[in-house]
Amino acid sequence: MDQLLQHLVNGTVLGGTYALLGIGLTLIFGVMRVVNFTHGELYAFGAYMTYAFVSLLGVNFYLALALATLAGVALGAALELVLLRRMRRADIDSVMLVMIGASLVLQNAEMWAWGGVAKLIPNPFAGSPLVLGPVSVLPLRLFVLGVSAALLLGFWLMLDRTRAGVAMRATFQDPETAALMGVRVGWVNTATFAIGSGLAAAAGALLGPVFMVSPTMGDLVGLKAFAIVILGGLGSLPGATLGGFALGFVEEFAGGYLSTEYRDAFGFLLIILVLALKPQGLVPAKERIG
Amino acid sequence: MLRLEGVAAGYGRTLALADVSLDVRQGELVSLIGANGAGKSTTLKTISGLLKPSAGRITWDGAEIGGLSPREILARGIAHCPEGRRVFPHLTVRENLEMGALLRRDRAAVATDLDAMCDRFPRLRERLAQAAGTLSGGEQQMLAIARALMSRPRLVMFDEPSLGLAPSLVEQVFQIVREIRANGTTVLMVEQNAMAALRLCDRAFLLETGHVVQAGTGAELLASPDVRAAYLGGA
Ligand SMILES: Nc1ncnc2c1ncn2[C@@H]1O[C@H](COP(=O)(O)OP(=O)(O)O)[C@@H](O)[C@H]1O
Ligand SMILES: [Mg+2]
């Protein structure tokens, strides 16, 4: 029972960042119909930028997280403006190939810039866990959960309450009619890719200090992001949130009770199961807010 | 106020409009009629900026507007209510109406207009917080019309507003179009229901495979043997 609670807490922490990752990817797919293979690299980018700011430039830890996220937003905007904007009329295969190419370039640039050795990001939190009854959590992990939850809530409020958010959802649903309402669909695309990338970078910045940072960390995370999005239903924002937490729990529980070495494999096993039983994902199309 | 001269436009390599010339004067209700696939919707999309004309001129108050973005066209006072209603299904009725007023900065006046739309279409007021996709076809058409008017256009273009509606609703839609014109907004309407459109309008243009082949008052086109043979069941 105590162990169960412990796994539940760990799964929630992991799930929050996975939800950020999944929302970013599903948003980009939903609005732009782009299968974004650079998503995992943006995650790694967020982690490395945090490392650079904290360890090399001596920037305050919290400020470094914000700057790394903003750097992700900027890199996403640049990718959209330089690559995707020119390919608006290209077929989906060409776009996919270009995005795969871009992810290879990003990964190798990271390797070149930082070397192959994994880095540790120092953080200001106490190394000893907080003990709350039967559960113990590292303060850093609580902080990660808090920030993820705040980002998820903030993003949702932006989409639900602001004029920009309504315009974004309208574009999501019917870009041509949105254009007739005066929406600059091109800028919505740039903003979408930038925000989606920023969410991935934020996830990387948050988990970077929890785990180690290495140039290939984006690979597995990119795959997981796709798993989360497919799990939740392509283009569904609530689905991606749900999928993120589902993956976090499955990894945590399977890792805890079944096998630590294969914890990543169980997540993918779950995807196969869900797709076999519910091919549309957890949140069917008609319930999507997009 | 709006004039098209020899406009051509298309989708990729397929040319849908070859030679379209027409004009709409201030305060008029003008109909564009023609068979399915004649290019009526394409004409409206080219005016509203969704498509770029590949030849010809489009002028608005004498200034060239061909090739401007839909946003710039809307800002100049031309609203386009597209074929098939195209309400945003997962936005609420209120959000749909607000989308119509996206470019306006006078937020207080927008709120007043939204309220006035709800007075004109009471069904919309009852459903303000509901997703537009849950509305009936007729309600969605009313919403699409109201959304187009929320920008306070000087010219509003309707693409087949009666499409797929029950006969009683069709009559209601035409009544609304008449009222909109009576309130001082110029109207350019595309209709397959040529008989009704010709009775309603001041002037009309007949489109055939991307060419304007006839122009005249509604009564003239109603009396034309060609029009009668092709579009009014030959009677
Ligand atoms: N999105 C599109 N892509 C390619 N061709 C199109 C598209 N929309 C319409 N067309 C073609 O353009 C021509 C005119 O279509 P349209 O303007 O929709 O006619 P109408 O509104 O008069 O029924 C038709 O031959 C149609 O097949
Ligand atoms: Mg049409």
Side-chain angles (χ1 to χ4, degrees):
Chain A
M1 185 61 205
D2 292 359
Q3 223 194 338
L4 180 88
L5 276 175
Q6 181 67 52
H7 287 311
L8 220 52
V9 169
N10 292 351
T12 310
V13 172
L14 205 55
T17 48
Y18 283 174
L20 287 180
L21 207 61
I23 280 190
L25 189 61
T26 216
L27 181 73
I28 288 169
F29 178 81
V31 174
M32 307 172 71
R33 303 281 134 184
V34 167
V35 182
N36 179 20
F37 287 102
T38 67
H39 209 64
E41 296 317 318
L42 261 301
Y43 171 90
F45 179 74
Y48 270 114
M49 289 313 281
T50 310
Y51 169 76
F53 283 121
V54 172
S55 296
L56 304 183
L57 301 172
V59 172
N60 167 290
F61 179 75
Y62 306 100
L63 182 61
L65 292 184
L67 289 175
T69 302
L70 287 180
V73 169
L75 178 58
L79 283 172
E80 203 282 332
L81 289 171
V82 174
L83 294 180
L84 291 170
R85 185 155 284 218
R86 295 158 199 267
M87 303 196 71
R88 190 111 341 125
R89 301 202 195 295
D91 56 297
I92 191 156
D93 300 354
S94 321
V95 177
M96 270 202 236
L97 282 177
V98 166
M99 294 319 278
I100 291 173
S103 81
L104 290 175
V105 168
L106 287 174
Q107 186 177 109
N108 282 288
E110 262 142 28
M111 189 84 85
W112 175 73
W114 308 109
V117 183
K119 313 271 192 219
L120 206 65
I121 303 174
N123 69 79
F125 292 93
S128 52
L130 281 171
V131 181
L132 310 153
V135 182
S136 67
V137 206
L138 285 171
L140 172 63
R141 291 190 175 228
L142 273 186
F143 169 76
V144 167
L145 177 61
V147 176
S148 307
L151 279 175
L152 286 174
L153 186 70
F155 175 72
W156 182 79
L157 283 175
M158 184 279 286
L159 216 51
D160 193 63
R161 301 287 155 84
T162 68
R163 261 153 55 88
V166 176
M168 210 163 188
R169 281 185 291 141
T171 311
F172 211 110
Q173 294 166 30
D174 186 344
E176 191 176 74
T177 306
L180 285 180
M181 304 292 120
V183 175
R184 278 181 282 229
V185 175
W187 285 111
V188 170
N189 282 345
T190 308
T192 301
F193 204 84
I195 293 173
S197 298
L199 290 175
L206 287 168
L207 281 189
V210 176
F211 305 120
M212 299 276 267
V213 186
S214 69
T216 50
M217 68 191 283
D219 283 346
L220 184 59
V221 166
L223 272 179
K224 284 186 185 175
F226 277 107
I228 291 160
V229 164
I230 293 166
L231 198 59
L234 274 176
S236 163
L237 296 172
T241 313
L242 206 65
F245 281 102
L247 187 65
F249 286 128
V250 165
E251 282 188 1
E252 189 56 38
F253 279 99
Y257 290 114
L258 300 172
S259 152
T260 319
E261 285 136 72
Y262 287 102
R263 61 177 281 156
D264 289 330
F266 290 106
F268 294 106
L269 210 60
L270 169 75
I271 319 290
I272 295 173
L273 263 177
V274 168
L275 288 184
L277 299 174
K278 228 172 163 241
Q280 295 300 307
L282 293 174
V283 181
K286 67 169 167 28
E287 289 160 34
R288 290 176 191 173
I289 65 159
Chain B
M1 64 202 310
L2 177 73
R3 179 180 292 277
L4 278 70
E5 291 166 275
V7 168
Y11 305 88
R13 261 172 236 109
T14 44
L15 201 66
L17 302 183
D19 178 17
V20 173
S21 297
L22 58 82
D23 68 303
V24 180
R25 298 174 202 142
Q26 179 100 34
E28 270 189 327
L29 199 175
V30 171
S31 282
L32 189 58
I33 60 170
N36 207 352
K40 305 181 298 293
S41 298
T42 306
T43 304
L44 296 196
K45 287 186 203 169
T46 309
I47 297 170
S48 64
L50 288 175
L51 296 173
K52 311 268 172 256
S54 53
R57 276 165 55 83
I58 305 177
T59 54
W60 172 247
D61 291 337
E64 171 86 45
I65 58 164
L68 292 184
S69 72
R71 182 184 172 93
E72 291 165 315
I73 300 286
L74 183 66
R76 280 166 174 69
I78 303 178
H80 178 177
C81 181
E83 183 173 356
R85 329 190 215 294
R86 304 279 285 268
V87 299
F88 300 108
H90 304 286
L91 297 190
T92 64
V93 168
R94 176 187 291 280
E95 286 169 337
N96 267 275
L97 291 170
E98 284 168 353
M99 279 301 291
L102 195 73
L103 293 191
R104 290 174 56 182
R105 289 287 161 262
D106 47 342
R107 303 320 295 166
V110 168
T112 316
D113 283 4
L114 200 145
D115 207 49
M117 281 313 158
C118 292
D119 288 339
R120 178 61 191 84
F121 305 106
R123 308 283 292 197
L124 296 186
R125 190 190 297 282
E126 291 165 26
R127 289 164 172 64
L128 273 178
Q130 229 168 287
T134 65
L135 267 51
S136 72
E139 288 163 354
Q140 289 190 14
Q141 186 61 60
M142 302 306 162
L143 176 56
I145 293 173
R147 182 181 62 181
L149 295 176
M150 283 299 290
S151 68
R152 287 201 178 169
R154 287 170 56 211
L155 169 70
V156 60
M157 307 192 292
F158 293 115
D159 195 343
E160 311 234 15
S162 74
L163 193 70
L165 298 184
S168 62
L169 282 170
V170 170
E171 197 34 60
Q172 208 181 326
V173 165
F174 287 139
Q175 179 57 34
I176 291 163
V177 171
R178 217 176 277 134
E179 274 178 38
I180 290 169
R181 196 271 298 267
N183 289 336
T185 308
T186 309
V187 178
L188 174 58
M189 181 170 72
V190 160
E191 261 298 330
Q192 269 212 71
N193 186 345
M195 180 75 90
L198 291 176
R199 287 209 178 115
L200 197 65
C201 70
D202 303 309
R203 288 187 308 128
F205 294 85
L206 174 62
L207 207 56
E208 258 172 30
T209 57
H211 299 260
V212 168
V213 293
Q214 273 199 54
T217 64
E220 279 166 9
L221 262 73
L222 266 177
S224 147
D226 288 353
V227 173
R228 295 194 76 82
Y231 302 99
L232 304 176

